[in-house]
Each structure stands twice: as C-alpha cells, then as structure tokens.
Amino acid sequence: MALNLKEIAKKEELFMPGHRLCAGCGTAVLMRQVMLAVEGPVVVSMATSCPFVSAATYPYSAWKVPWIHSAFENSPATISGVEAAYKALRKKGSINQEIKFISMAGDGGTYDIGFQALSGALERGHRFLHICYNNEAYMNTGIQRSGATPLGAHTTTSPAGKLIPGKREFRKDLTAIIAAHDIPYVAQTTPFHWRDLMTKVQKALAVDGPSFINVLTSCHRGWRSDMKDAMQILKLAVDTCYWPLYEVVNGKYKLNYKLRNKLPVIEWIRPQGRFAHLLKEENQPIVAQIQQKIDENWEKLLAKCALD
Amino acid sequence: MARLAALTGNNAAAEAIRQIKPDVFAAYPITPQTEMAEEVAQYVADGILETEYIPVESEHSSMSACIGASLAGVRAMTATASCGLAYMWELLPIAASMRTSIVMAVVNRAFNAPLNIHCSHDDSMGARDAGWIQLYSENAQEMYDNLIQAVKIAEDEKIRLPVMVCMDGFIISHAVERLLLLADEEVKNFLGEFKSAHPLLEVNNPVTLGACALPDYYTEHKKQHSEALRHSLGKIMEVADEYARLSGRSYSLFESYQLADAEYGIVILNSAAGVTRTVVDKLRKEGIKAGLLKIRVYRPFPATQIVQALKNLKAIAVLERTDSFGGVGSPVFTDISAAFMEAPTKERPLMINYIYGLGGRDVGLEDIEKVYASLQVINQRGKIEKSFAYLQARE
Amino acid sequence: MRKLQGWKDIPTGTAIVKAGSSVEYLTGGWRDARPEHDKGKCTNCLLCWVYCPEGAITVKDDQVTGINYDYCKGCGICATECPPKVKAITMVEEPKLM
C-alpha cells in the first residue's frame, strides 16, 4: 500500500525536536522520515557524526528509541553485538517480541573509515539495516573530502586553488560495492523523495538479513547552497541522474522512478558554491567529464534494470 | 567436584569461557590467542556451548560488538593479544567509561616492530590507563581461575567495569600444565545472571547510550568511572574469598612469597614469578633473606597494600616485560614509586627497575640470581647509581 | 540556569534515561526569519510537515494547525516546498536583536 502522509502524520515522532542540527539540515529531515517509517520496536546504533553530536548530548537526547553510539567507524560492528545479544535472549526466551536493528553513519562512517566494519557485518549476515546519510564530505569536522565527494567539489581538504580545481577523483560507487555483497536489499534514495525513502526503509527492515540504503542528503553548509532549497537540490540530483533512485532486491536491479526529462548536470552543479569554480570557462572540461560519467553510469544502470 | 586436567593456557581459558557461557563471544584470531578463538568456535559448532559467536573481521569490531552486546544486556567476552589489542585500543576507554561488563582474555605478546609473536607485556601494560580492571595470571590454573572471577567482578552492580585477564604468550598459552577445574554447575552458580544497568534491549524503556558530554558534564562522567574503579578492590577481594570457598584456591591482590622478613625483594607479574620463587628458595637456604611480590591485580593499583608489604625491605627490584620508552621507569616501577611518595611511611626500600624477557627471551635462574645479587650490592652501597636497566641486553 | 547534576547523580556510564529529552532544549532562538502559515490557503498536503527538519509543523486531525516556534529554526524549507499554487507559508524576518 502506498504511503500516505496523513496516515504517517498520526504516528508518534521518534526523532524529537530540540536537536541541534543546523537549520535546514537535510540529515535531520531524513532522520525524522526514517523513524516515521519504522513499524514496531527498533534499536539504533549511530556513528560519530553531526546527528550524533547534535541529537545526543548529555542530558538531552532526541531519540525515543533505544540508541547507542560508541565510536566513528564501528556502528555496524556495534549493532552486530546488539543483534547477537537479541538472538541470544530470544533463544533463552527472555525476549519474545520482534525487534529491528538500524545502524546509521555518514559517508565518512560508511564509505571510508567505517567501510571495513560495514562490509564485515554485511558478510556475516546480521539482520540489520545500515543507512548512510551521505552528504558527500566530512561535514561534522568542517567539510573535508570523503570517498563520496564528487569530482571537482571544493572541500577543505580538496580545495579549489590556483592550480587544482577541487577534488581530482570521482566518488566511489558505494551502492554498487554493497550490492556486490549479495545481501537481500540495497537501495539509493533522498529525503526529497520521502515516499521512496520511507518505502525503502520498510522494505529493508522486512528482509531476513542485512540491508543497506544510501541516502543522498543535503548539507547547505558544505555544499554552499541555499538552506531553504535543501530538498529542491536533492530533486535536482535525481533529475540529472547524478543520484538515480533504484533498489537491488535479492540481486535484481529496479529503477524506482520514471525520468521524464533528464536535466544536464550543470543544473545540479550551478546552485552549489562547492562547484562555483567549475562554472569558469577553463573548467568546462571537468563539467563535461562529470556529465560523461553520469551518462555512462546511467546507461549501465538502465542495462542492469532491464536485465530482469 | 573438581576435575584434574592437563591443558595449555589457551585450553584452560577456552574451558573457562565454555563454563562461563557468554551470550556473545566476538573474537578475531591472533597469535598466540588463536587457539582460544578456535576452541570456542568448535564448542559452539559441536553444540557444547550455546553462545552467539561473532567471527568479526577485526579486533576493532570484536570490541565494538562486545560493547553493543554488553550494553544490550548480555554477557559478552572476547580474547586478543598484542597488535589485536592495539587495534581495538580506541574502544578500550569507551568500553570502560560506558560501563560495560566485558571480560577479555589477553595473551601477552610483544608489540611490533620488529615483529615478534612471543611474550612481552607491551600490550596490556600499554592499556593500563584505559579504565579497565586488570588481572595477571602466572599459569594456566590462575588464568582459568581469574577469568571466572573476572566475570563476577565485571558484572557486579557497584563496579560494572570491563576486566582484562592476562597470561604470558606461548610460555603459558602454549605450555601444557596440570590444573584443577570446577564443575560446570559450580561456575554457573558462582556467577549467577548478568543484569546490566540500562539494557538497550528493553525497548519499552528506551535509553540513549554513548551520548556526548560537553565540558559541563564530561568531568562528572569520568569521576564516576574513576571512583567505580578505585573502589573495586574490596569487591575483588570479596569475589576472591568466595572463589576460595568454592575452589579451595586462594587469591589476593598480590602474592607475597617469603616477604614478611625479607630484605631483598623482586616485584614481578605473570609467568616469571615461578623461576623467581625457585631462586628465593635457593637464596633462603644460603641465608639470604630474599622475597617475592607477584602482582595479580594491577588495575586498580593496590598502592597502600603494596607499600605495606614492601616498606621494610632493604632493596627491591621491579622486573618488567615492557619498556616505558623514555619514562622514569616502566609502569609498575613508577606506580610503586608513586605509591611510596604518597604513603605516610618514612621507610622506603632502595628500588631499581629491570627490563627483562622481551619478545619471549627466556628468563633463567641465573638472571634472577643476578638481580638479587645486585640488590645486595645496592644495599651495601646504600644508594642506586642507575635505577633503570635492561637485564638481558647484549652489549 | 539549569541545575547541573553531580557525579553521584548521573546515571551509570553517561546513559540518558529520559527518551526524547531534547524537547527541553528550545531552538527557536536560532531563527532569523519565521514561517507564517495561512490556514485559509493551506490544502493540508503535509509536504511542509514531512520536510521540516525539526518536526515543528503541527498537525492535528489531518490539518496543519500551525508552527511550533519553540523549535522552528527558520530554515524556510516549508515555504519552499509548499506547492507553487498554494503558497500558504511565507517567511517573515524576525525583529533584529540589539
């Protein structure tokens, strides 16, 4: 059944206000949406990140569900232990209800420093959903590059300078890397596409095994974009095919939307100050390179989705 | 009923783990701990032990998983050595300050470089300030006994701190010894059930664990942890007494051997206490008042008790299997020195620090005799020229 | 000034035992512009509600009833996402502090 906002609005919020994420934080929107999508008891493990420091600072917690943080790179490992404890207690009969497990981390805690713990936990088959709130750089420490930072983006450790025009490497395709773990459910989405996101959270939590959702989420501080456009910019990411909405269910790829009019990537680049230098004449080859990569990846994705 | 068995240190530890029955055991194999990780896996595979065995991809994850499991509300254990302990280092103070009840077997092994798989105490000594309780074991019997006691200590509601239980790599972990084991039922009854302070899996009573604390609260959290650790000595002794009634084997904070009237003493940890005891006996026959203090509980450091035990000696040597590079002396030496500074007593033996047995270098009777001889020289001279020396390094 | 707890009073191991206690921490003071909601224009599509980072849009019986200014940080996402034909939310500058 398609999700309906009026019905969802009747649910109890589990990620409460009073958190200290920036005004207009895309990750805050996604936290709310994820927690509104959840049905039944859930335990959350979170990596060190903006939503960690902003929503769990003693004595204040925005979380109305059991929640644990222990370090930056180990959220999936931590939830492995919690899930194993749950299995032990279920076997003993001390717990009789179904509990779901979610691990969350940013792109640092997922693509980079936390990748090993994630890969291990997925391979071991723990029943948990890992959500990556991917804003394409280490925003919590002040906008440093990550493996998710796109080609050409300015960050404080891949700055655009007189010689070097921002990040020199393409981002890695983590969603594909996770799909290669051959787990039951893998998807990409954004909080602008709230119905897509919430549906994916529910699907992911329903599978018997590990699942992963890579959520592109805006950080207007890092992206140097307008705070009020925090959601619109995510729409552009999808409409330019920079961030296609798709899922991989038991190995089968599925595109989750019909693209009416594929916009040129410059529409995604233009509103973001992190790409400002790419608008210069001399950097047009970089824009062309980005467009070419997007086109290639889009064709590859369409081919994968058409295979079924 | 006690059972007599011939086991290596690793076998003995695995047997203790089997009897302790952790709900979750998460471990990554590393020499010389590997057998322990293997044996526990075999117990689970054979249905002898019902535990959730998490074959993690690294030690960082083994400790992370144990933190998650312990705070979820179940008994969690792990085992490691050397680089493995170093790799999980970040999580050690976290496991302690989050007040988990994890028990970890540490098979002491040297730090690289150069790579060496044999015994030094670099690993656990380096972790001494992580906020864990640390117990040291001379042999397989002590490793077995300490592990069982460690669980009861860690899970005590007034303590709620993780415990590291150490034994010497290869020297103990791989040597077969004769030891006495408790019956499964005795271990079960001794330990009882674990109840965590704020179980994460109580979904109707949701807690936030591991939040950040800003300067307005960080100090109070650390003070709370510090007090719990400092006050655990009493409970450690209570557990030892209860264990003695069960097993007939008595443990204290440290072992004093011929120390009451001793003039010359050696302070040592773990396996080399054996050879030292032999030398003490030999010297005593020769009329030399030699004694030994073997530390069992190193964290929290039983400062008052150690000063009391050592203050009447003329000269003591603290023998350590690790170098606190560039420091005043190695960890135990500096702790004992500080303890004497703090003590009201004016009596203070002359004290020297020897580094020995690095990377598994065998320590023989003659090494220990040399130490006692040097203590007599120091005493005759009434002063120490060099308080820190490598005992066995070739020039 | 809130009263700070001493070390004996805080729960073991930094646990926060009061779920959702962040609601005691008001963030409305961060705002330099306030969204004003026009009930007359509103079609109650709830897009503003689902996109609000704070959960500050109040909804009762399927209707948007207003904005909780205790938490609203004034980001303006709600005004942007309100459909172009509806535009029931306008951002109004808060008075400048001296």
Side-chain angles (χ1 to χ4, degrees), chain A residues 58 61 67 73-74 91-92, chain B residues 23 52 64 90 208-209 212:
Chain A
Y58 190 86
S61 171
W67 181 99
E73 66 278 53
N74 68 347
K91 276 185 197 162
K92 281 184 176 176
Chain B
D23 298 289
E52 291 299 321
S64 301
E90 179 195 15
T208 292
L209 301 179
C212 66

Side-chain angles (χ1 to χ4, degrees), chain B residues 93-110:
Chain B
I94 294 170
S97 271
M98 285 182 85
R99 309 296 294 279
T100 68
S101 300
I102 299 163
V103 170
M104 171 162 64
V106 175
V107 188
N108 287 116
R109 169 187 150 184

Side-chain angles (χ1 to χ4, degrees), chain C residues 20-97:
Chain C
S21 56
S22 64
V23 293
E24 293 164 24
Y25 188 88
L26 305 185
T27 53
W30 297 17
R31 200 170 52 236
D32 63 4
R34 68 163 58 209
E36 288 194 347
H37 174 244
D38 184 338
K39 233 178 143 25
K41 288 185 185 171
C42 181
T43 61
N44 298 301
C45 68
L46 304 191
L47 283 175
C48 57
W49 173 81
V50 80
Y51 290 133
C52 176
E54 317 305 324
I57 311 285
T58 55
V59 177
K60 203 180 171 202
D61 301 330
D62 302 345
Q63 313 276 311
V64 174
T65 54
I67 286 144
N68 187 338
Y69 294 114
D70 281 348
Y71 304 110
C72 169
K73 294 170 186 164
C75 68
I77 293 178
C78 54
T80 306
E81 298 303 330
C82 188
K85 285 180 187 162
V86 181
K87 286 293 159 213
I89 298 176
T90 19
M91 297 303 289
V92 179
E93 244 183 77
E94 292 280 8
K96 293 272 181 285
L97 293 174

